[in-house]
Amino acid sequence: MIRVLFVCLGNICRSPMAEFIMKKEIEERGIAASFEVASAGTSDEEEGNPVYPPARAELSRRGIDCSGKRARKIARADCAHFDYILCMEDWHVRSVLRLCGEKEKEKVHRLSDYTDRPHDIADPWYTRDFAAAYGDIRAGVAAFLDNLQEKTSHT
Ligand code: 4NP
């Protein structure tokens, strides 16, 4: 079982988009049974709230349902539980490392660092460009899975 946690600030836009894009992608690749996928925020500002409607609409346009998701803040227990903690921005990586400690450094990455265009995934809460967020996140998820499948095919 490979356990993956996506992290952003509020857990109502980017990280839930990543969670549900990933769930669809592993379903399509026929590898869903090997994964546990979840998401959380570095802040508790949106705790308990559903996915932000424009983010939900962006997923829905792609046939992805995220209706049961409620925002939660990352907890210390997540550090040991998850194998990969994939963050939207570099400062989320730094927050997660502060929470989890340097010993978990190997599992904490910025999602887009798996692509050939490493960058912070812009917050659509501010940019209002949910389609761009979707594209960036989808590219990151696909690159992460390609990387993982390449690694496991050589072991
Ligand atoms: P997210 O977006 O980190 O992608 O979930 C945000 C959601 C809420 C806020 C900021 C960003 N906020 O300031 O409440």
Side-chain angles (χ1 to χ4, degrees), residues 8-16 45-46 92 123-126:
C8 64
L9 173 63
N11 194 216
I12 57 167
C13 296
R14 291 164 294 176
S15 63
E45 188 94 1
E46 301 290 342
H92 305 139
D123 193 341
W125 176 271
Y126 297 109

mmCIF file of all heavy atoms in Angstrom, residues 8-16 45-46 92 123-126, ligand 1:
data_model
loop_
_atom_site.group_PDB
_atom_site.id
_atom_site.type_symbol
_atom_site.label_atom_id
_atom_site.label_comp_id
_atom_site.label_asym_id
_atom_site.label_seq_id
_atom_site.Cartn_x
_atom_site.Cartn_y
_atom_site.Cartn_z
ATOM 1 N N CYS A 8 -2.080 21.662 0.790
ATOM 2 C CA CYS A 8 -2.043 23.079 0.381
ATOM 3 C C CYS A 8 -2.313 23.912 1.628
ATOM 4 O O CYS A 8 -2.098 23.433 2.747
ATOM 5 C CB CYS A 8 -3.050 23.361 -0.738
ATOM 6 S SG CYS A 8 -4.779 23.132 -0.275
ATOM 7 N N LEU A 9 -2.793 25.122 1.462
ATOM 8 C CA LEU A 9 -3.032 25.979 2.631
ATOM 9 C C LEU A 9 -4.370 25.665 3.309
ATOM 10 O O LEU A 9 -4.419 25.307 4.483
ATOM 11 C CB LEU A 9 -2.976 27.452 2.208
ATOM 12 C CG LEU A 9 -3.375 28.488 3.255
ATOM 13 C CD1 LEU A 9 -2.429 28.441 4.444
ATOM 14 C CD2 LEU A 9 -3.402 29.884 2.653
ATOM 15 N N GLY A 10 -5.456 25.777 2.532
ATOM 16 C CA GLY A 10 -6.782 25.685 3.143
ATOM 17 C C GLY A 10 -7.436 24.318 3.071
ATOM 18 O O GLY A 10 -8.387 24.033 3.781
ATOM 19 N N ASN A 11 -6.962 23.462 2.147
ATOM 20 C CA ASN A 11 -7.573 22.153 1.864
ATOM 21 C C ASN A 11 -8.997 22.283 1.317
ATOM 22 O O ASN A 11 -9.839 21.409 1.551
ATOM 23 C CB ASN A 11 -7.539 21.227 3.105
ATOM 24 C CG ASN A 11 -7.849 19.767 2.798
ATOM 25 O OD1 ASN A 11 -8.486 19.062 3.598
ATOM 26 N ND2 ASN A 11 -7.424 19.285 1.664
ATOM 27 N N ILE A 12 -9.244 23.391 0.610
ATOM 28 C CA ILE A 12 -10.537 23.492 -0.076
ATOM 29 C C ILE A 12 -10.391 23.694 -1.589
ATOM 30 O O ILE A 12 -11.370 23.619 -2.321
ATOM 31 C CB ILE A 12 -11.431 24.624 0.498
ATOM 32 C CG1 ILE A 12 -10.726 25.968 0.429
ATOM 33 C CG2 ILE A 12 -11.903 24.287 1.912
ATOM 34 C CD1 ILE A 12 -11.668 27.147 0.679
ATOM 35 N N CYS A 13 -9.174 23.974 -2.065
ATOM 36 C CA CYS A 13 -8.976 24.154 -3.516
ATOM 37 C C CYS A 13 -7.962 23.151 -4.076
ATOM 38 O O CYS A 13 -8.334 22.103 -4.602
ATOM 39 C CB CYS A 13 -8.527 25.575 -3.843
ATOM 40 S SG CYS A 13 -9.747 26.845 -3.446
ATOM 41 N N ARG A 14 -6.673 23.476 -3.955
ATOM 42 C CA ARG A 14 -5.664 22.696 -4.683
ATOM 43 C C ARG A 14 -5.460 21.270 -4.186
ATOM 44 O O ARG A 14 -5.435 20.328 -4.993
ATOM 45 C CB ARG A 14 -4.318 23.445 -4.660
ATOM 46 C CG ARG A 14 -4.334 24.711 -5.480
ATOM 47 C CD ARG A 14 -3.182 25.595 -5.133
ATOM 48 N NE ARG A 14 -3.292 26.106 -3.760
ATOM 49 C CZ ARG A 14 -2.400 26.845 -3.147
ATOM 50 N NH1 ARG A 14 -1.285 27.156 -3.786
ATOM 51 N NH2 ARG A 14 -2.601 27.272 -1.922
ATOM 52 N N SER A 15 -5.310 21.078 -2.879
ATOM 53 C CA SER A 15 -5.011 19.705 -2.427
ATOM 54 C C SER A 15 -6.200 18.751 -2.590
ATOM 55 O O SER A 15 -5.992 17.596 -2.963
ATOM 56 C CB SER A 15 -4.416 19.673 -1.012
ATOM 57 O OG SER A 15 -5.310 20.171 -0.054
ATOM 58 N N PRO A 16 -7.452 19.210 -2.371
ATOM 59 C CA PRO A 16 -8.539 18.273 -2.702
ATOM 60 C C PRO A 16 -8.643 18.021 -4.205
ATOM 61 O O PRO A 16 -8.971 16.906 -4.621
ATOM 62 C CB PRO A 16 -9.806 18.945 -2.144
ATOM 63 C CG PRO A 16 -9.424 20.314 -1.753
ATOM 64 C CD PRO A 16 -7.938 20.370 -1.621
ATOM 65 N N GLU A 45 -8.058 27.079 8.969
ATOM 66 C CA GLU A 45 -9.027 28.131 8.604
ATOM 67 C C GLU A 45 -10.327 27.575 8.016
ATOM 68 O O GLU A 45 -11.399 28.081 8.296
ATOM 69 C CB GLU A 45 -8.362 29.040 7.556
ATOM 70 C CG GLU A 45 -9.119 30.284 7.204
ATOM 71 C CD GLU A 45 -8.662 31.485 8.029
ATOM 72 O OE1 GLU A 45 -7.743 31.326 8.847
ATOM 73 O OE2 GLU A 45 -9.241 32.537 7.845
ATOM 74 N N GLU A 46 -10.223 26.536 7.197
ATOM 75 C CA GLU A 46 -11.390 26.015 6.473
ATOM 76 C C GLU A 46 -11.875 24.677 7.038
ATOM 77 O O GLU A 46 -12.718 24.022 6.425
ATOM 78 C CB GLU A 46 -11.046 25.850 4.981
ATOM 79 C CG GLU A 46 -10.610 27.126 4.277
ATOM 80 C CD GLU A 46 -11.761 28.122 4.088
ATOM 81 O OE1 GLU A 46 -12.929 27.716 4.189
ATOM 82 O OE2 GLU A 46 -11.461 29.308 3.847
ATOM 83 N N HIS A 92 4.638 25.388 1.818
ATOM 84 C CA HIS A 92 3.919 24.274 2.442
ATOM 85 C C HIS A 92 4.917 23.162 2.797
ATOM 86 O O HIS A 92 4.773 22.505 3.834
ATOM 87 C CB HIS A 92 2.837 23.712 1.516
ATOM 88 C CG HIS A 92 1.856 24.742 1.037
ATOM 89 N ND1 HIS A 92 1.393 24.767 -0.257
ATOM 90 C CD2 HIS A 92 1.279 25.787 1.671
ATOM 91 C CE1 HIS A 92 0.543 25.785 -0.395
ATOM 92 N NE2 HIS A 92 0.471 26.415 0.758
ATOM 93 N N ASP A 123 -2.267 29.740 -6.276
ATOM 94 C CA ASP A 123 -3.494 29.543 -5.504
ATOM 95 C C ASP A 123 -4.692 30.115 -6.266
ATOM 96 O O ASP A 123 -4.817 31.336 -6.422
ATOM 97 C CB ASP A 123 -3.328 30.267 -4.160
ATOM 98 C CG ASP A 123 -4.409 29.867 -3.190
ATOM 99 O OD1 ASP A 123 -5.455 29.346 -3.641
ATOM 100 O OD2 ASP A 123 -4.207 30.061 -1.981
ATOM 101 N N PRO A 124 -5.603 29.248 -6.743
ATOM 102 C CA PRO A 124 -6.742 29.748 -7.535
ATOM 103 C C PRO A 124 -7.723 30.562 -6.697
ATOM 104 O O PRO A 124 -8.554 31.282 -7.237
ATOM 105 C CB PRO A 124 -7.383 28.460 -8.070
ATOM 106 C CG PRO A 124 -7.019 27.416 -7.082
ATOM 107 C CD PRO A 124 -5.664 27.796 -6.545
ATOM 108 N N TRP A 125 -7.609 30.441 -5.364
ATOM 109 C CA TRP A 125 -8.418 31.284 -4.464
ATOM 110 C C TRP A 125 -8.144 32.760 -4.789
ATOM 111 O O TRP A 125 -9.030 33.591 -4.758
ATOM 112 C CB TRP A 125 -8.025 30.943 -3.026
ATOM 113 C CG TRP A 125 -8.670 31.774 -1.962
ATOM 114 C CD1 TRP A 125 -8.213 32.949 -1.434
ATOM 115 C CD2 TRP A 125 -9.902 31.492 -1.275
ATOM 116 N NE1 TRP A 125 -9.062 33.401 -0.463
ATOM 117 C CE2 TRP A 125 -10.117 32.530 -0.337
ATOM 118 C CE3 TRP A 125 -10.843 30.448 -1.355
ATOM 119 C CZ2 TRP A 125 -11.203 32.561 0.515
ATOM 120 C CZ3 TRP A 125 -11.933 30.489 -0.502
ATOM 121 C CH2 TRP A 125 -12.107 31.528 0.418
ATOM 122 N N TYR A 126 -6.871 33.044 -5.168
ATOM 123 C CA TYR A 126 -6.481 34.414 -5.504
ATOM 124 C C TYR A 126 -6.468 34.666 -7.003
ATOM 125 O O TYR A 126 -6.901 35.712 -7.464
ATOM 126 C CB TYR A 126 -5.104 34.732 -4.903
ATOM 127 C CG TYR A 126 -5.125 34.668 -3.393
ATOM 128 C CD1 TYR A 126 -4.493 33.637 -2.706
ATOM 129 C CD2 TYR A 126 -5.827 35.626 -2.653
ATOM 130 C CE1 TYR A 126 -4.549 33.562 -1.318
ATOM 131 C CE2 TYR A 126 -5.892 35.549 -1.271
ATOM 132 C CZ TYR A 126 -5.252 34.520 -0.601
ATOM 133 O OH TYR A 126 -5.318 34.439 0.759
HETATM 134 P P1 4NP B 1 -6.109 26.234 -1.076
HETATM 135 O O1 4NP B 1 -6.753 27.688 -1.316
HETATM 136 O O2 4NP B 1 -4.919 26.432 -0.181
HETATM 137 O O3 4NP B 1 -5.736 25.796 -2.455
HETATM 138 O O4 4NP B 1 -7.201 25.388 -0.447
HETATM 139 C C1 4NP B 1 -7.090 28.580 -0.290
HETATM 140 C C2 4NP B 1 -8.257 28.425 0.426
HETATM 141 C C3 4NP B 1 -8.594 29.324 1.413
HETATM 142 C C4 4NP B 1 -7.779 30.403 1.671
HETATM 143 C C5 4NP B 1 -6.620 30.553 0.965
HETATM 144 C C6 4NP B 1 -6.271 29.633 -0.016
HETATM 145 N N1 4NP B 1 -8.147 31.356 2.647
HETATM 146 O O5 4NP B 1 -7.419 32.342 2.788
HETATM 147 O O6 4NP B 1 -9.130 31.142 3.352
#
